[in-house]
Coordinates of all heavy atoms in Angstrom, one line a residue:
M15 N 0.9 -1.2 0.0 CA 0.0 0.0 0.0 C 0.9 1.2 0.0 O 1.5 1.5 1.0 CB -0.9 0.0 1.2 CG -1.7 1.2 1.4 SD -3.1 1.3 0.2 CE -4.1 -0.1 0.7
D16 N 1.0 2.0 -1.1 CA 1.8 3.2 -1.1 C 0.8 4.4 -1.2 O -0.4 4.3 -1.3 CB 2.8 3.2 -2.2 CG 2.1 3.1 -3.6 OD1 0.9 3.4 -3.7 OD2 2.8 2.8 -4.5
M17 N 1.4 5.6 -1.0 CA 0.6 6.8 -0.9 C -0.2 7.1 -2.2 O -1.2 7.7 -2.2 CB 1.4 8.0 -0.4 CG 1.9 7.9 1.0 SD 0.7 7.3 2.2 CE -0.3 8.8 2.3
K18 N 0.5 6.7 -3.3 CA -0.2 7.0 -4.6 C -1.5 6.2 -4.7 O -2.5 6.7 -5.2 CB 0.8 6.6 -5.7 CG 0.6 7.4 -7.0 CD 1.8 7.3 -7.9 CE 2.1 5.9 -8.4 NZ 3.3 5.8 -9.2
L19 N -1.4 5.0 -4.3 CA -2.6 4.2 -4.3 C -3.7 4.7 -3.4 O -4.8 4.8 -3.7 CB -2.2 2.7 -3.9 CG -3.4 1.7 -3.9 CD1 -4.0 1.6 -5.3 CD2 -2.8 0.4 -3.5
L20 N -3.2 5.2 -2.2 CA -4.2 5.7 -1.2 C -4.9 6.9 -1.8 O -6.1 7.0 -1.7 CB -3.4 6.2 0.0 CG -3.1 5.1 1.1 CD1 -2.4 5.8 2.2 CD2 -4.4 4.5 1.5
S21 N -4.2 7.8 -2.4 CA -4.9 9.0 -2.9 C -5.7 8.7 -4.1 O -6.7 9.3 -4.4 CB -3.8 10.1 -3.2 OG -2.9 9.6 -4.2
G22 N -5.2 7.7 -4.9 CA -6.0 7.3 -6.0 C -7.3 6.7 -5.7 O -8.3 6.8 -6.4
M23 N -7.4 6.0 -4.5 CA -8.6 5.5 -4.0 C -9.6 6.5 -3.5 O -10.8 6.3 -3.6 CB -8.3 4.5 -2.9 CG -7.7 3.2 -3.3 SD -7.2 2.3 -1.9 CE -8.7 1.9 -1.1
G24 N -9.0 7.7 -3.1 CA -9.9 8.7 -2.5 C -10.8 8.2 -1.4 O -11.9 8.7 -1.3
Y25 N -10.3 7.3 -0.6 CA -11.0 6.7 0.5 C -12.2 5.9 0.1 O -13.1 5.6 0.9 CB -11.3 7.8 1.5 CG -10.1 8.4 2.2 CD1 -10.0 9.7 2.3 CD2 -9.1 7.6 2.7 CE1 -8.8 10.3 2.8 CE2 -8.0 8.1 3.3 CZ -7.8 9.5 3.3 OH -6.8 10.1 3.9
M26 N -12.4 5.7 -1.2 CA -13.5 4.9 -1.6 C -13.1 3.4 -1.8 O -11.9 3.2 -2.0 CB -14.1 5.4 -2.9 CG -14.9 6.7 -2.7 SD -16.2 6.6 -1.5 CE -17.4 5.5 -2.3
P27 N -14.1 2.5 -1.7 CA -13.7 1.1 -1.7 C -13.1 0.8 -3.1 O -13.5 1.3 -4.1 CB -15.1 0.4 -1.6 CG -16.1 1.4 -1.4 CD -15.5 2.8 -1.4
S28 N -12.1 -0.1 -3.0 CA -11.4 -0.5 -4.2 C -11.2 -2.0 -4.1 O -10.8 -2.5 -3.1 CB -10.1 0.2 -4.3 OG -9.4 -0.3 -5.4
P29 N -11.6 -2.8 -5.1 CA -11.5 -4.2 -5.1 C -10.1 -4.8 -5.1 O -9.8 -5.4 -6.1 CB -12.4 -4.7 -6.2 CG -12.3 -3.6 -7.2 CD -12.0 -2.3 -6.4
I30 N -9.4 -4.6 -4.1 CA -8.0 -5.2 -4.1 C -8.1 -6.6 -3.5 O -8.6 -6.7 -2.3 CB -7.1 -4.3 -3.2 CG1 -6.9 -2.9 -3.8 CG2 -5.7 -5.0 -3.1 CD1 -6.2 -1.9 -2.9
P31 N -7.8 -7.6 -4.2 CA -7.9 -9.0 -3.8 C -7.2 -9.2 -2.4 O -6.1 -8.8 -2.2 CB -7.3 -9.8 -4.9 CG -7.3 -8.9 -6.1 CD -7.1 -7.5 -5.5
G32 N -8.0 -9.8 -1.5 CA -7.4 -10.1 -0.2 C -7.4 -9.0 0.8 O -7.3 -9.3 2.0
M33 N -7.5 -7.8 0.4 CA -7.4 -6.7 1.3 C -8.5 -6.7 2.3 O -8.3 -6.5 3.5 CB -7.4 -5.4 0.5 CG -7.2 -4.1 1.4 SD -7.1 -2.7 0.3 CE -7.1 -1.4 1.6
Y34 N -9.7 -6.8 1.8 CA -10.9 -6.8 2.7 C -11.0 -8.0 3.5 O -11.3 -8.0 4.7 CB -12.2 -6.5 2.0 CG -12.2 -5.1 1.3 CD1 -12.6 -5.0 0.0 CD2 -11.7 -4.0 2.0 CE1 -12.6 -3.7 -0.6 CE2 -11.7 -2.8 1.5 CZ -12.1 -2.6 0.1 OH -12.1 -1.4 -0.4
K35 N -10.7 -9.1 2.8 CA -10.8 -10.4 3.5 C -9.9 -10.5 4.7 O -10.3 -10.9 5.8 CB -10.4 -11.5 2.5 CG -11.2 -12.8 2.7 CD -10.7 -13.8 1.7 CE -11.2 -13.6 0.2 NZ -10.6 -14.5 -0.7
K36 N -8.7 -10.0 4.6 CA -7.7 -10.0 5.6 C -8.2 -9.3 6.9 O -8.0 -9.8 8.0 CB -6.4 -9.3 5.2 CG -5.3 -9.5 6.0 CD -4.0 -8.9 5.3 CE -2.9 -8.7 6.3 NZ -1.8 -7.9 5.7
H37 N -9.0 -8.2 6.8 CA -9.4 -7.5 7.9 C -10.9 -7.6 8.1 O -11.6 -6.8 8.8 CB -9.0 -6.0 7.8 CG -7.6 -5.8 7.8 ND1 -6.8 -6.1 8.9 CD2 -6.7 -5.4 6.8 CE1 -5.5 -5.8 8.6 NE2 -5.4 -5.4 7.3
S38 N -11.5 -8.7 7.5 CA -12.9 -9.0 7.6 C -13.8 -7.8 7.4 O -14.8 -7.6 8.1 CB -13.2 -9.6 9.0 OG -13.0 -8.7 10.0
L39 N -13.5 -7.0 6.4 CA -14.4 -5.9 5.9 C -14.9 -6.4 4.6 O -14.1 -6.5 3.6 CB -13.6 -4.6 5.9 CG -14.4 -3.4 5.3 CD1 -15.7 -3.2 6.2 CD2 -13.6 -2.2 5.2
T40 N -16.2 -6.5 4.4 CA -16.7 -7.0 3.2 C -17.4 -5.9 2.4 O -17.8 -4.9 2.9 CB -17.7 -8.2 3.4 OG1 -18.8 -7.6 4.1 CG2 -17.1 -9.3 4.2
W41 N -17.5 -6.2 1.1 CA -18.2 -5.2 0.2 C -19.6 -5.1 0.7 O -20.2 -4.0 0.7 CB -18.1 -5.7 -1.2 CG -18.7 -4.8 -2.2 CD1 -19.8 -5.0 -2.9 CD2 -18.3 -3.5 -2.6 NE1 -20.1 -4.0 -3.7 CE2 -19.2 -3.0 -3.5 CE3 -17.2 -2.7 -2.1 CZ2 -19.0 -1.7 -4.1 CZ3 -17.1 -1.4 -2.7 CH2 -18.0 -1.0 -3.7
E42 N -20.3 -6.2 1.1 CA -21.6 -6.2 1.5 C -21.8 -5.3 2.7 O -22.8 -4.5 2.8 CB -22.1 -7.6 1.9 CG -22.4 -8.5 0.7 CD -21.1 -8.9 0.0 OE1 -20.1 -8.9 0.6 OE2 -21.2 -9.2 -1.2
K43 N -20.9 -5.4 3.6 CA -20.9 -4.5 4.8 C -20.8 -3.0 4.5 O -21.5 -2.2 5.0 CB -19.8 -4.9 5.8 CG -19.9 -4.3 7.2 CD -18.8 -4.9 8.0 CE -18.8 -4.2 9.4 NZ -17.6 -4.7 10.2
L44 N -19.9 -2.8 3.5 CA -19.8 -1.4 3.1 C -21.1 -0.9 2.4 O -21.5 0.3 2.7 CB -18.6 -1.3 2.1 CG -17.2 -1.2 2.6 CD1 -16.2 -1.3 1.5 CD2 -17.1 0.1 3.5
Q45 N -21.7 -1.7 1.6 CA -22.9 -1.3 0.9 C -24.0 -1.0 1.8 O -24.8 -0.1 1.5 CB -23.3 -2.4 -0.1 CG -22.3 -2.7 -1.2 CD -22.4 -1.7 -2.4 OE1 -23.4 -1.7 -3.1 NE2 -21.4 -0.8 -2.6
S46 N -24.1 -1.7 2.9 CA -25.2 -1.5 3.8 C -24.9 -0.4 4.8 O -25.7 -0.1 5.7 CB -25.5 -2.8 4.6 OG -24.3 -3.2 5.3
S47 N -23.7 0.2 4.8 CA -23.4 1.3 5.7 C -23.7 2.6 5.1 O -23.7 2.7 3.8 CB -21.9 1.2 6.0 OG -21.5 -0.1 6.4
D48 N -24.0 3.6 5.9 CA -24.1 4.9 5.3 C -22.8 5.6 5.0 O -21.7 5.0 5.4 CB -25.0 5.8 6.2 CG -24.4 6.1 7.6 OD1 -23.1 6.2 7.6 OD2 -25.1 6.3 8.5
K49 N -22.8 6.7 4.4 CA -21.5 7.3 3.9 C -20.5 7.5 5.0 O -19.3 7.2 4.8 CB -21.9 8.7 3.3 CG -22.2 8.6 1.8 CD -20.9 8.7 1.0 CE -21.2 8.8 -0.5 NZ -21.7 7.5 -1.1
L50 N -20.9 8.1 6.1 CA -20.0 8.4 7.2 C -19.4 7.1 7.7 O -18.2 7.0 8.0 CB -20.7 9.2 8.3 CG -19.8 9.8 9.4 CD1 -18.9 10.9 8.8 CD2 -20.6 10.3 10.5
E51 N -20.3 6.1 7.9 CA -19.8 4.8 8.4 C -18.8 4.2 7.5 O -17.8 3.6 7.9 CB -21.0 3.9 8.6 CG -21.1 3.2 9.9 CD -22.3 2.3 10.0 OE1 -23.4 2.7 9.4 OE2 -22.3 1.2 10.6
Q52 N -19.1 4.3 6.2 CA -18.2 3.8 5.2 C -16.8 4.4 5.3 O -15.8 3.7 5.3 CB -18.7 4.1 3.8 CG -19.8 3.2 3.3 CD -20.2 3.5 1.9 OE1 -19.6 4.3 1.1 NE2 -21.4 3.0 1.5
Q53 N -16.8 5.7 5.4 CA -15.5 6.4 5.6 C -14.7 5.9 6.8 O -13.5 5.7 6.7 CB -15.7 7.9 5.7 CG -15.8 8.6 4.3 CD -15.9 10.1 4.5 OE1 -15.9 10.6 5.6 NE2 -16.0 10.8 3.3
E54 N -15.4 5.7 7.9 CA -14.8 5.2 9.1 C -14.2 3.8 8.9 O -13.1 3.5 9.3 CB -15.7 5.3 10.3 CG -15.9 6.7 10.8 CD -17.0 6.8 11.8 OE1 -17.6 5.8 12.2 OE2 -17.3 7.9 12.3
L55 N -15.0 3.0 8.3 CA -14.6 1.6 8.0 C -13.3 1.6 7.2 O -12.4 0.9 7.4 CB -15.7 0.8 7.3 CG -16.8 0.4 8.2 CD1 -18.0 -0.2 7.4 CD2 -16.4 -0.7 9.2
I56 N -13.3 2.4 6.1 CA -12.2 2.4 5.2 C -11.0 3.0 5.9 O -9.9 2.5 5.7 CB -12.6 3.3 3.9 CG1 -13.8 2.7 3.3 CG2 -11.4 3.3 3.0 CD1 -13.7 2.0 2.0
L57 N -11.1 4.1 6.6 CA -10.0 4.7 7.3 C -9.4 3.7 8.3 O -8.2 3.5 8.3 CB -10.5 5.9 8.0 CG -10.5 7.2 7.2 CD1 -11.1 8.4 8.0 CD2 -9.1 7.6 6.7
D58 N -10.3 3.0 9.0 CA -9.8 2.0 10.0 C -9.0 0.9 9.3 O -8.0 0.5 9.7 CB -11.1 1.5 10.7 CG -10.7 0.5 11.8 OD1 -9.9 0.9 12.6 OD2 -11.2 -0.6 11.7
L59 N -9.6 0.5 8.1 CA -8.9 -0.6 7.4 C -7.5 -0.1 6.9 O -6.6 -0.8 7.0 CB -9.8 -1.0 6.2 CG -9.2 -2.0 5.2 CD1 -9.1 -3.3 5.9 CD2 -10.0 -2.0 4.0
L60 N -7.5 1.1 6.4 CA -6.3 1.7 5.8 C -5.2 1.8 7.0 O -4.0 1.4 6.8 CB -6.5 3.1 5.2 CG -7.2 3.0 3.9 CD1 -7.5 4.5 3.4 CD2 -6.4 2.3 2.8
M61 N -5.6 2.2 8.1 CA -4.7 2.4 9.2 C -4.1 1.0 9.6 O -3.0 0.8 9.9 CB -5.4 3.0 10.4 CG -5.7 4.5 10.2 SD -4.4 5.4 9.4 CE -3.1 5.4 10.7
K62 N -5.0 0.0 9.7 CA -4.6 -1.3 10.0 C -3.6 -1.9 9.0 O -2.6 -2.5 9.3 CB -5.8 -2.3 10.0 CG -6.6 -2.2 11.3 CD -7.8 -3.2 11.2 CE -8.7 -3.0 12.4 NZ -10.0 -3.6 12.2
T63 N -3.9 -1.6 7.7 CA -3.1 -2.1 6.6 C -1.7 -1.4 6.7 O -0.7 -2.1 6.7 CB -3.7 -1.8 5.3 OG1 -5.0 -2.3 5.2 CG2 -2.9 -2.4 4.1
I64 N -1.7 -0.1 6.9 CA -0.5 0.7 7.0 C 0.4 0.2 8.2 O 1.6 0.0 8.1 CB -0.7 2.2 7.1 CG1 -1.3 2.7 5.7 CG2 0.5 2.9 7.5 CD1 -1.9 4.0 5.8
N65 N -0.3 0.1 9.3 CA 0.4 -0.3 10.6 C 1.0 -1.7 10.4 O 2.1 -1.9 10.9 CB -0.5 -0.3 11.8 CG -0.8 1.2 12.2 OD1 0.0 2.1 11.9 ND2 -1.9 1.4 12.9
S66 N 0.3 -2.6 9.8 CA 0.8 -4.0 9.7 C 2.0 -4.0 8.7 O 2.9 -4.8 8.9 CB -0.3 -5.0 9.3 OG -0.8 -4.7 8.0
R67 N 1.9 -3.1 7.7 CA 3.1 -3.1 6.8 C 4.3 -2.6 7.6 O 5.4 -3.1 7.4 CB 2.8 -2.1 5.6 CG 1.8 -2.6 4.7 CD 2.0 -3.9 4.1 NE 3.0 -3.9 3.0 CZ 3.4 -5.0 2.3 NH1 2.8 -6.1 2.6 NH2 4.2 -4.9 1.3
K68 N 4.1 -1.6 8.4 CA 5.2 -1.0 9.1 C 5.8 -2.0 10.0 O 7.0 -2.1 10.2 CB 4.7 0.2 10.0 CG 4.8 1.5 9.3 CD 4.5 2.6 10.3 CE 4.1 3.9 9.6 NZ 3.3 4.8 10.4
R69 N 5.0 -2.8 10.7 CA 5.5 -3.9 11.6 C 6.3 -4.9 10.8 O 7.2 -5.5 11.4 CB 4.4 -4.5 12.3 CG 4.0 -3.7 13.6 CD 3.3 -4.6 14.6 NE 2.1 -5.2 14.0 CZ 0.9 -4.5 14.0 NH1 0.8 -3.3 14.5 NH2 -0.1 -5.1 13.5
Q70 N 5.9 -5.2 9.6 CA 6.5 -6.4 8.9 C 7.9 -6.0 8.4 O 8.7 -6.9 8.2 CB 5.6 -6.8 7.7 CG 4.4 -7.7 8.2 CD 3.4 -7.8 7.1 OE1 3.5 -7.3 6.0 NE2 2.3 -8.5 7.5
Y71 N 8.2 -4.8 8.1 CA 9.4 -4.4 7.5 C 10.3 -3.7 8.5 O 9.9 -2.8 9.2 CB 9.2 -3.5 6.3 CG 8.7 -4.3 5.1 CD1 7.4 -4.5 4.9 CD2 9.6 -4.8 4.2 CE1 6.9 -5.2 3.8 CE2 9.2 -5.6 3.1 CZ 7.8 -5.7 2.9 OH 7.4 -6.5 1.9
R72 N 11.6 -4.2 8.6 CA 12.5 -3.6 9.5 C 13.9 -3.5 8.8 O 14.2 -4.3 8.0 CB 12.7 -4.4 10.8 CG 11.6 -4.1 11.8 CD 11.9 -4.8 13.0 NE 11.1 -4.3 14.1 CZ 11.5 -3.5 15.1 NH1 12.8 -3.2 15.1 NH2 10.7 -3.0 16.0
K73 N 14.6 -2.5 9.2 CA 16.0 -2.4 8.7 C 16.9 -3.4 9.3 O 16.9 -3.5 10.5 CB 16.5 -0.9 8.9 CG 16.3 0.0 7.8 CD 17.1 1.3 8.0 CE 16.9 2.2 6.7 NZ 17.6 3.5 7.0
C74 N 17.7 -4.0 8.5 CA 18.7 -4.9 9.0 C 19.8 -4.1 9.6 O 20.2 -3.1 9.1 CB 19.3 -5.8 7.9 SG 20.7 -6.7 8.3
Q75 N 20.3 -4.5 10.8 CA 21.3 -3.7 11.5 C 22.6 -3.7 10.9 O 23.4 -2.8 11.1 CB 21.4 -4.2 13.0 CG 21.9 -5.7 13.0 CD 22.0 -6.2 14.4 OE1 22.4 -5.4 15.3 NE2 21.6 -7.4 14.7
F76 N 22.9 -4.7 10.0 CA 24.2 -4.8 9.3 C 24.2 -4.1 8.0 O 25.0 -3.3 7.7 CB 24.6 -6.2 9.2 CG 24.9 -6.9 10.6 CD1 24.0 -7.9 11.0 CD2 25.9 -6.5 11.4 CE1 24.2 -8.4 12.3 CE2 26.1 -7.0 12.6 CZ 25.3 -8.0 13.1
C77 N 23.3 -4.5 7.1 CA 23.4 -4.0 5.7 C 22.4 -2.9 5.5 O 22.4 -2.2 4.5 CB 23.1 -5.2 4.7 SG 21.4 -5.9 4.8
G78 N 21.5 -2.6 6.4 CA 20.5 -1.5 6.3 C 19.4 -1.7 5.3 O 18.6 -0.9 5.1
E79 N 19.3 -3.0 4.8 CA 18.2 -3.3 3.9 C 16.9 -3.4 4.7 O 16.9 -3.9 5.8 CB 18.5 -4.6 3.2 CG 19.6 -4.5 2.1 CD 19.1 -3.8 0.8 OE1 18.0 -4.0 0.5 OE2 19.9 -3.1 0.3
K80 N 15.8 -3.0 4.0 CA 14.5 -3.3 4.6 C 14.2 -4.7 4.4 O 14.1 -5.1 3.2 CB 13.5 -2.3 4.1 CG 13.6 -1.0 4.7 CD 12.3 -0.2 4.5 CE 12.4 1.2 5.2 NZ 11.6 2.2 4.6
V81 N 13.9 -5.5 5.4 CA 13.7 -6.9 5.3 C 12.3 -7.3 5.8 O 11.9 -6.9 6.9 CB 14.7 -7.7 6.1 CG1 14.8 -9.1 5.6 CG2 16.1 -7.0 6.0
A82 N 11.6 -8.0 5.0 CA 10.3 -8.5 5.4 C 10.4 -9.6 6.5 O 11.5 -10.2 6.6 CB 9.5 -9.1 4.2
V83 N 9.4 -9.7 7.2 CA 9.5 -10.6 8.4 C 9.9 -12.0 8.1 O 10.7 -12.6 8.8 CB 8.1 -10.6 9.2 CG1 7.0 -11.2 8.4 CG2 8.3 -11.3 10.5
E84 N 9.5 -12.5 6.9 CA 9.8 -13.9 6.6 C 11.3 -14.0 6.1 O 11.8 -15.2 6.0 CB 8.8 -14.5 5.6 CG 8.9 -13.8 4.2 CD 7.9 -12.6 4.1 OE1 7.6 -12.1 5.2 OE2 7.5 -12.3 3.0
H85 N 11.9 -12.9 5.9 CA 13.3 -13.0 5.5 C 14.3 -12.6 6.5 O 15.5 -12.3 6.3 CB 13.6 -12.2 4.2 CG 12.8 -12.7 3.0 ND1 11.9 -11.9 2.3 CD2 12.7 -13.9 2.5 CE1 11.4 -12.7 1.3 NE2 11.9 -13.9 1.4
R86 N 13.8 -12.5 7.8 CA 14.7 -12.0 8.8 C 15.2 -13.2 9.7 O 14.4 -14.2 9.9 CB 14.0 -11.0 9.7 CG 13.8 -9.7 9.1 CD 13.5 -8.6 10.1 NE 12.5 -9.1 11.1 CZ 11.3 -8.6 11.2 NH1 10.8 -7.8 10.3 NH2 10.5 -9.0 12.1
F87 N 16.4 -13.1 10.2 CA 16.9 -14.0 11.2 C 16.4 -13.7 12.5 O 15.8 -14.5 13.3 CB 18.4 -14.0 11.2 CG 19.1 -14.7 12.3 CD1 19.0 -16.1 12.4 CD2 19.7 -14.0 13.3 CE1 19.5 -16.8 13.4 CE2 20.3 -14.7 14.4 CZ 20.2 -16.1 14.4
D88 N 16.5 -12.4 12.9 CA 15.8 -11.9 14.1 C 15.2 -10.5 13.8 O 15.2 -10.1 12.7 CB 16.7 -12.0 15.4 CG 17.9 -11.0 15.3 OD1 17.8 -10.1 14.4 OD2 18.8 -11.2 16.0
M89 N 14.8 -9.8 14.9 CA 14.2 -8.5 14.7 C 15.0 -7.6 13.8 O 14.4 -6.8 13.0 CB 13.9 -7.8 16.1 CG 12.9 -8.5 16.9 SD 11.2 -8.3 16.2 CE 10.8 -6.7 16.7
N90 N 16.3 -7.6 13.9 CA 17.1 -6.6 13.2 C 18.1 -7.1 12.3 O 19.0 -6.5 11.9 CB 17.8 -5.7 14.3 CG 16.9 -5.0 15.2 OD1 16.0 -4.3 14.8 ND2 17.0 -5.3 16.5
T91 N 18.0 -8.4 11.9 CA 19.0 -9.0 11.1 C 18.4 -9.9 10.0 O 17.5 -10.7 10.2 CB 19.9 -10.0 12.0 OG1 20.2 -9.3 13.2 CG2 21.2 -10.4 11.2
C92 N 18.9 -9.6 8.7 CA 18.4 -10.4 7.6 C 19.2 -11.7 7.6 O 20.2 -11.9 8.2 CB 18.6 -9.6 6.3 SG 20.3 -9.5 5.7
H93 N 18.7 -12.7 6.8 CA 19.3 -14.0 6.7 C 20.7 -13.9 6.2 O 21.6 -14.6 6.7 CB 18.5 -14.9 5.7 CG 17.3 -15.5 6.4 ND1 16.3 -16.2 5.7 CD2 16.8 -15.4 7.6 CE1 15.4 -16.6 6.5 NE2 15.6 -16.1 7.7
G94 N 21.0 -13.1 5.2 CA 22.3 -13.0 4.6 C 23.3 -12.5 5.7 O 24.4 -13.1 5.8
C95 N 23.0 -11.5 6.5 CA 23.9 -11.0 7.5 C 24.0 -12.0 8.7 O 25.0 -12.0 9.3 CB 23.4 -9.6 8.0 SG 23.6 -8.4 6.7
A96 N 22.9 -12.7 8.9 CA 23.0 -13.7 10.0 C 24.1 -14.8 9.6 O 24.8 -15.2 10.5 CB 21.6 -14.4 10.2
S97 N 24.1 -15.2 8.4 CA 25.1 -16.1 7.9 C 26.5 -15.5 8.1 O 27.4 -16.1 8.6 CB 24.9 -16.5 6.5 OG 23.6 -17.0 6.3
K98 N 26.6 -14.2 7.6 CA 27.9 -13.6 7.6 C 28.4 -13.3 9.0 O 29.6 -13.5 9.4 CB 27.8 -12.2 6.9 CG 28.8 -12.1 5.8 CD 28.7 -10.7 5.1 CE 27.4 -10.6 4.3 NZ 27.2 -9.2 3.7
H99 N 27.6 -12.8 9.9 CA 28.0 -12.3 11.2 C 27.8 -13.3 12.3 O 28.6 -13.2 13.3 CB 27.3 -11.0 11.5 CG 27.6 -9.9 10.5 ND1 28.7 -9.0 10.7 CD2 26.9 -9.5 9.4 CE1 28.7 -8.1 9.7 NE2 27.6 -8.4 8.9
F100 N 26.8 -14.1 12.2 CA 26.6 -15.1 13.3 C 27.0 -16.5 12.9 O 26.9 -17.4 13.7 CB 25.1 -15.1 13.7 CG 24.6 -13.7 14.1 CD1 23.3 -13.3 13.9 CD2 25.5 -12.9 14.9 CE1 22.9 -12.0 14.3 CE2 25.0 -11.6 15.3 CZ 23.7 -11.2 15.0
G101 N 27.4 -16.7 11.6 CA 27.7 -18.0 11.2 C 26.6 -19.0 11.1 O 26.7 -20.2 11.1
V102 N 25.4 -18.4 10.9 CA 24.2 -19.2 10.7 C 24.2 -19.8 9.3 O 24.4 -19.1 8.3 CB 22.9 -18.4 10.9 CG1 21.7 -19.3 10.7 CG2 22.9 -17.8 12.3
V103 N 24.0 -21.1 9.2 CA 23.9 -21.7 7.9 C 22.5 -22.2 7.6 O 21.9 -22.9 8.4 CB 24.9 -23.0 7.8 CG1 24.8 -23.6 6.4 CG2 26.3 -22.5 8.1
Y104 N 22.0 -21.8 6.4 CA 20.7 -22.2 6.0 C 20.7 -23.4 5.0 O 21.6 -23.5 4.2 CB 19.9 -21.1 5.4 CG 19.6 -20.0 6.4 CD1 20.4 -18.9 6.5 CD2 18.5 -20.2 7.3 CE1 20.1 -17.9 7.5 CE2 18.2 -19.2 8.2 CZ 19.0 -18.1 8.3 OH 18.8 -17.1 9.2
Ligands
LIG229 ZN1 21.5 -7.6 6.3

């Protein structure tokens, strides 16, 4: 989710596969809500999405690369640097 996409959406629902499913916000729920409620739902969803992206990516303490959670050795170390600096073999 980048800012260009955010502004492109204009806070209106956009059928991004998996996005609503992940946070249990459905199109049907949106349709049955009034305008203000819709905005709140979408904002809430966007904040959740943004926050979860922030949590998933961290800078590696050695190479400074942003590493996704599944490619990290620990909170601050990517797999490559774990091998280099800690002698971890995959
Ligand atoms: Zn690294």
Side-chain angles (χ1 to χ4, degrees):
M15 175 72 67
D16 61 19
M17 292 316 286
K18 207 161 62 180
L19 182 59
L20 274 182
S21 59
M23 286 169 68
Y25 296 129
M26 285 307 289
S28 174
I30 299 170
M33 183 176 172
Y34 296 135
K35 215 180 283 173
K36 192 173 162 192
H37 297 292
S38 68
L39 177 60
T40 62
W41 183 247
E42 285 72 23
K43 192 174 173 185
L44 278 174
Q45 294 279 293
S46 63
S47 311
D48 65 31
K49 270 274 187 289
L50 192 68
E51 224 178 329
Q52 280 183 14
Q53 276 187 357
E54 281 171 6
L55 283 169
I56 304 249
L57 275 174
D58 184 54
L59 175 70
L60 287 176
M61 291 317 291
K62 279 180 188 160
T63 307
I64 289 164
N65 286 337
S66 66
R67 294 303 281 184
K68 270 189 196 153
R69 272 202 303 275
Q70 278 166 4
Y71 286 87
R72 276 185 167 256
K73 262 192 178 174
C74 171
Q75 61 180 321
F76 296 111
C77 65
E79 287 287 324
K80 281 196 178 158
V81 199
V83 64
E84 65 269 25
H85 295 126
R86 288 199 313 254
F87 168 68
D88 65 16
M89 290 293 281
N90 302 303
T91 315
C92 71
H93 279 177
C95 292
S97 304
K98 233 183 290 175
H99 296 272
F100 300 144
V102 179
V103 180
Y104 291 98

